[in-house]
Amino acid sequence: MAKKIKGPQVLTANLLSDGMVVFLGSDGTWRASIDAADMARTEDGAAALEARAAVFVRTNHVVDPYLIAVDDTGSGFVPVAFRERRRIAGPSVQPFFNTQPNGRLAFAG
Amino acid sequence: MYRYDEFDTTFVRQRVDQFRDQVNRRVSGDLTEEQFRPLRLMNGLYLQLHAYMLRVAIPYGTLNARQMRQLAFIADEYDKGYGHFTTRQNIQFNWPKLPDVPDILEHLADVEMHAIQTSGNCIRNVTADQWAGATADEFEDPRPYAELMRQWSSLHPEFSFLPRKFKIAVTGAAADRAAIAYHDIGLRLKRNAAGETGFEVMVGGGMGRTPMLGATVRDWLQKEELLAYLEAIMRVYNLHGRRDNKYKARIKILVHELGAEEFTRQVEDEYARIDAPRIMPPPQELTRIKTYFAPPAYEELADQSPELARRMNENTDFAQWVDRNVVAHKQAGYAIVNISLKPVGGVPGDASAAQMRAVADLAEDKSLDEIRVTHEQNLVLPHVRKADLYEVWQSLKAHDLADANIGLATDIIACPGLDYCALATARSIPISQDISRRLGDITRQRDVGDLKIKISGCINACGHHHAGHIGILGLEKRGEEYYQITLGGSGDENASIGEIIGPGFSSETVTDAVETIVDTYVGLRQDGETFLDAYRRVGPDPFKEAVYATH
Ligand code: SF4
């Protein structure tokens, strides 16, 4: 049975190779930018994202995938949870370590 | 310094080979993440918010120049050119890639280092007074015992899967710089009326969500009995520790629930049963270890250095640095140099590869090849000739390592918090940077005097906030960071747990609150009274009134 969801969801994980934060894109690739993520508005849609991510777990491309709630701003997605906002922004203390170059292709699955 | 024998070398090399195989199997898919996670954690490799993090053990915080250079090499070659020294006297690399980690471990093994037991429910890196073997106020050097415990606890089959992680700290001095009362086991070497040294054994201290100070279970333990007695403590814990509940699994909860008296009785019963001679090392083994910690080749010097006195007269900045960062050595003509990793507005505990190399060079040239890491996230050159202090200061200055703020308001402990740590609820580093900038004026800092501000990014308290004169705990409420302030904590020989002063503060107002607390202290202190003394005299009320009236 599909999980209850609250609002729009995107699916995030970390790359196995370097731990980088990635999002499952609509083109079936993992993207560094949350704005390139595929978004689900329904429970079935969210379950489908999870099912697609599970394939990449089995092929050892990503680890620990999970859904996060986002606000759809029209021009992109902003995570609802503070932790997720920080997670995608990279360390705030050393701006040159930031991990989210917009739209960069992290891994072509 | 201790040097690996053949056994140590083989053991660490084999472990690298084993982990290389495990990483290969993970990458090829023969191991799932569930299977791999405990294996990587046993080798100090975490998956944090944005990347992997490798935690490397620095046994009792002691390094030589070659080891420090190797850490710099790893930072440059496999990370982003820096490392983070932690409150466990370890170093963390924040950006290693999984396939590179076996090579990193190989480079560490080349200089007799590893990342084993820096994670998991085992006995972690034993920590010690960072001035061990050098300080003038020491009864006996605790490092041979720390090394003995390191060997005893490494892959100890009985203690590799404890109810929870386990931390031991040891000091041999009257002043406690190792925060022993806040450890699962805290050991203090002391001297009796007959002039012999032995251990006081404290058990059940800890930080985390339930801070507690350790209780003394043995006021006097013969040094030869150390391992057997520790084994008795570990057995009682292993048997009765709360494996059913992670939040109650630390030994402090067991000591608290049983009561110190009953816990002590059980330990003594176990100790009476134990086959102590089998556990205790033969005397020649301790003698062998002690030879590695024999005093280095000091020169015979006059204690006073006219050169030092002249330079201090000529240069106020240098004199202030000597005043705060340099402390008395037990050897005439030598001094201990503390290197601050807390530049105003910087990231506490971070050092660039270039800084690590600079410290390594100085250690080799001017400190008999020794470096220490402190639990307050600073570095130490333990054996510097007084006549060399000016030259050392100039070299440090050239690498932004000469902040004269040891023990002052900007010498802040901050854990990685939500800038790196997957468990965090709030950021801690930007708060420390903000406070550091606000209070950073050196004249003001010197006027405020001794002040320990400690910040954690979650209830796990890696930033030791419970032991801060001013402690700050970052939490999250309704999607925003907020910060709870505690006052009056201390990790020294008169340890105390900080008390929460009231409702928390936003990230925008917490620095104002800290400044108000500092100003309140300045307003009410009596002659020569430190922040902690003043707090203990007046209690929290004047601080609460000031903070909550203005915020
Ligand atoms: S206190 Fe919390 S946030 Fe800070 S390092 Fe420890 S676990 Fe992470």
Side-chain angles (χ1 to χ4, degrees), chain B residues 415-417 421 423-424 456-458 460-463:
Chain B
C415 78
C421 177
L423 300 172
S456 304
C458 82
N460 288 324
C462 306

Side-chain angles (χ1 to χ4, degrees), chain B residues 121-123 152 156-162 231 234-235 238:
Chain B
N121 293 337
C122 53
I123 299 175
W152 162 77
H156 193 304
E158 215 177 312
F159 308 134
S160 291
F161 296 94
L162 294 167
E231 196 133 335
M234 299 308 296
R235 284 187 176 180
N238 218 357

Side-chain angles (χ1 to χ4, degrees), chain A residues 16-17 60 82-83 87 92, chain B residues 26 29 50 52 98 419 422 481:
Chain A
L16 172 66
S17 58
N60 306 300
F82 176 75
R83 177 184 191 275
R87 182 169 164 268
S92 59
Chain B
R26 174 68 189 108
H50 322 287
Y52 289 98
L98 178 61
D419 283 297
E481 294 160 300

Side-chain angles (χ1 to χ4, degrees), chain A residues 14-21 60 63-64 82-83 85-87 90-94 97 99, chain B residues 26 29 33 37 47 49-52 80 82 98-99 350 418-419 422 427 429-430 433 479 481:
Chain A
N14 293 78
L15 289 184
L16 172 66
S17 58
D18 60 7
M20 186 172 166
V21 178
N60 306 300
V63 293
D64 301 340
F82 176 75
R83 177 184 191 275
R85 294 205 294 275
R86 290 266 32 108
R87 182 169 164 268
S92 59
V93 289
Q94 312 260 33
F97 296 151
T99 50
Chain B
R26 174 68 189 108
E33 187 61 16
R37 187 180 296 119
L47 182 55
L49 276 186
H50 322 287
Y52 289 98
K80 299 198 181 195
Y82 75 111
L98 178 61
D350 274 14
L418 197 52
D419 283 297
R427 286 173 296 170
I429 298 170
Q433 291 174 308
E481 294 160 300

Side-chain angles (χ1 to χ4, degrees), chain B residues 177-227:
Chain B
R177 291 171 287 266
I180 61 167
Y182 273 107
H183 281 75
D184 295 288
I185 294 179
L187 298 167
R188 186 203 311 274
L189 277 160
K190 58 186 198 177
R191 192 168 285 151
N192 67 11
E196 304 156 330
T197 45
F199 285 105
E200 177 186 350
V201 183
M202 298 168 91
V203 182
M207 305 255 181
R209 69 182 59 232
T210 323
M212 288 185 189
L213 300 178
T216 298
V217 299
R218 251 304 180 105
D219 195 44
W220 184 262
L221 181 73
Q222 300 286 351
K223 291 179 293 187
E224 310 75 63
E225 297 176 272
L226 180 64
L227 293 190

